[in-house]
Amino acid sequence: MNAKKSWWRDGVIYQIYPRSFQDSNGDGIGDLPGIIQRLDYLKDLGIDGIWLSPINPSPDVDFGYDVSDYLNIDPKFGTLEDFDRLLEEAHRRNIHIILDLVLNHTSDQHPWFQESLKSKDNPYHDWYLWRDPAPDGDYPNNWLSIFGGPGWEYNSALNQYYYHTFCAEQPDLNFRNPEVRRAVLDIFRFWLERGVDGFRLDVFNAYFKQKDLLDNPRRKGFHLRPYDRFEHVNDTSQPEMFPLLQEIRSLVDRYPERYVVGETFLADSVQARMYIAPDLLHAGFDYAYARSPWSAAGFGNAIAYWDALHGDKDWPNYFLNNHDTPRSATRYVTGEDDARLKLLACMHLTVRGTPYLYYGEEIGMRDTRYKRSEIQDPVGKRKWLSVKGRDGCRSPMQWDSSENAGFSPAKPWLRVNPDYPERNVQAQQQNPESLLNFYRALLRLRGENPALHAGSLQLLPLEYDSVLIYKRCAPNQTALVALNFSNRPQQISLPAVEEDNQTWQLAFSSSKEIQTDPDARTLSLPGYGSAILFV
Ligand code: TEU
Ligand code: CA
């Protein structure tokens, strides 16, 4: 491993859903000046980069994931000048900015799509996936939309269908058209020139479709969601993505220290891994860890697998939360106790890889429950009976106990979680035992110790059912992390120390009672206790 510190490899990335972080102008919607106001908070927390969910102009059918202009900032978030100021203020604090690029599809309001609607010989027509109806008038093939219903939307003026993986208002681009690829590379260049540090690529492995748009084969077994009844071999993961990623990477590499992370759509760990290489993506997201059951073996297996898939050459990353998934505090905890969340934090910030945090994770924000009439997410609106949608994890950041949690003086676009008078940043800042102070201390320790931010990973055999133990080894430092997933106390024997005359030194623990015995041979952990030791 390269000895020089790298912001994305050794650092920690914090995802902001801009609508919900901080409103600065009283319209109930978070914005860029709001984020600037909170940069000192993020600096003090100890993060190195921010991933901003999309901030480009959008009609908000899918809240920014339907872009109508890739080269501008949505007025509700601010202006290009505000963005430049955010970059400058973030960089001044050594915080890097990652933009979310949603290039598989545009908004149907994007001028490219508006042009493509005009006629079959409009130069932009072929920028999208237009097809004639089947001879019997039926859809061109059997592809569905993951958000429900057919993937094809009929346009009577053209007597053609266009394809959309997501909502009908999110038409997929035709990446087989070289002009589309050129336009996409220009988008990267525009933001690189402006000084952004990296990109998150939304569903990048869906950019290319099979060239003859062949039907997807049926999948075996019972699947509740119609979309899952097909193998998505023809609408995703085509080989043409590799040369395009190489082009993107070589462009990005012309600028120093830039980073590209991909969201691999519908992929398992092995598929997600295929796109990570020195000439492809720096990193990719994999859900296995976030979907682990609550157990030492569950997380241990997910980590062992993802770590081994990366090997020595590449660097894993981990997330427990994002804007599409119920929060970890809701998945793993009932009630208000944060003991399990401290355990997760200790694992998340000490395992080999780049940890991603999602706004509010550091204070243990729970999902907010919304009534049907409050739902904003198109997925929830359409599928209310089976799926409530993704609003629950997108509620406004809880800053303090004032009205609307200090997020906005006006009625927020999504209601604040009613627990905000107790669960908020200000209250946790004042409490030395809080989850927030636990995160801050861990982030500090991680940043200061090469074993924790750069070391290799060695998982120890699971000798104690519920205790996950691993070492992180850097050239002159070894860390040992012990995590008790059960609610009962556990005593573990510490592995032998190879260096003469040295013993494990306890450096961090989830509670003051945690101690090793005087010879540092054993360690006692209370229920959900965690500890980090060094030698
Ligand atoms: O997500 C792709 C994706 O896999 C999700 O649509 C997922 O299937 C869904 O959240 C489950 O309910 C990306 C973005 O992260 C998501 O927010 C967007 O809606 C989507 O792409 C379309 O751009
Ligand atoms: Ca605002």
Side-chain angles (χ1 to χ4, degrees), residues 317-525:
N317 67 356
Y318 290 93
F319 67 93
L320 289 163
N321 293 288
N322 64 30
H323 63 293
D324 289 335
T325 313
R327 287 178 178 271
S328 50
T330 297
R331 301 198 308 273
Y332 295 116
V333 184
T334 42
E336 291 300 320
D337 189 55
D338 286 342
R340 281 186 167 205
L341 299 180
K342 287 184 175 172
L343 181 75
L344 284 182
C346 189
M347 173 178 69
H348 196 57
L349 296 175
T350 62
V351 72
R352 179 181 84 118
T354 308
Y356 277 69
L357 301 175
Y358 179 60
Y359 81 97
E361 180 173 341
E362 71 277 24
I363 56 166
M365 271 173 63
R366 270 62 173 168
D367 275 32
T368 305
R369 282 160 171 267
Y370 294 107
K371 296 194 283 280
R372 185 173 191 167
S373 59
E374 296 175 301
I375 293 291
Q376 303 277 345
D377 178 25
V379 177
K381 279 185 183 165
R382 190 179 295 201
K383 303 200 205 171
W384 170 258
L385 290 177
S386 57
V387 185
K388 306 284 180 241
R390 303 165 292 184
D391 297 302
C393 66
R394 298 174 178 178
S395 58
M397 180 67 176
Q398 295 162 212
W399 294 107
D400 57 43
S401 59
S402 70
E403 207 183 348
N404 301 322
F407 164 70
S408 169
K411 184 170 179 261
W413 75 284
L414 256 184
R415 184 164 51 78
V416 178
N417 193 306
D419 71 6
Y420 83 86
E422 295 79 42
R423 188 173 290 285
N424 62 62
V425 167
Q426 195 181 47
Q428 293 201 19
Q429 277 171 336
Q430 288 156 5
N431 173 5
E433 307 296 314
S434 69
L435 184 62
L436 177 60
N437 280 316
F438 194 76
Y439 268 95
R440 289 179 59 231
L442 268 171
L443 282 158
R444 208 131 287 148
L445 191 74
R446 180 194 156 87
E448 287 163 359
N449 290 280
L452 292 182
H453 62 249
S456 62
L457 175 78
Q458 188 193 337
L459 287 153
L460 303 195
L462 263 186
E463 279 178 58
Y464 311 86
D465 266 359
S466 58
V467 189
L468 183 63
I469 307 174
Y470 49 86
K471 284 189 193 172
R472 297 288 312 280
C473 308
N476 298 309
Q477 186 185 45
T478 301
L480 183 91
V481 181
L483 308 158
N484 178 8
F485 279 80
S486 86
N487 57 3
R488 290 180 307 278
Q490 300 278 346
Q491 197 187 56
I492 60 167
S493 13
L494 295 170
V497 171
E498 281 148 32
E499 294 79 357
D500 289 340
N501 308 320
Q502 290 201 36
T503 52
W504 290 111
Q505 301 292 321
L506 186 69
F508 182 86
S509 65
S510 57
S511 59
K512 291 193 197 75
E513 306 85 77
I514 295 177
Q515 294 288 338
T516 61
D517 68 315
D519 304 333
R521 301 272 166 97
T522 64
L523 172 75
S524 298
L525 291 173

Side-chain angles (χ1 to χ4, degrees), residues 237-249:
S237 302
Q238 299 301 301
E240 289 83 354
M241 195 56 216
F242 289 95
L244 178 58
L245 278 180
Q246 285 171 333
E247 260 189 277
I248 292 172
R249 179 64 182 262

Side-chain angles (χ1 to χ4, degrees), residues 62 65 105 146 166 200 202-203 263 265 323-324 390:
D62 193 13
Y65 288 89
H105 43 272
I146 189 169
F166 300 92
R200 177 255 186 198
D202 191 65
V203 300
E263 183 203 24
F265 184 50
H323 63 293
D324 289 335
R390 303 165 292 184

Side-chain angles (χ1 to χ4, degrees), residues 306-320:
W306 192 230
D307 193 78
L309 278 177
H310 284 77
D312 294 337
K313 289 210 172 63
D314 291 296
W315 195 246
N317 67 356
Y318 290 93
F319 67 93
L320 289 163

Side-chain angles (χ1 to χ4, degrees), residues 57-68:
S58 166
D60 287 335
V61 169
D62 193 13
F63 297 105
Y65 288 89
D66 49 323
V67 174
S68 55

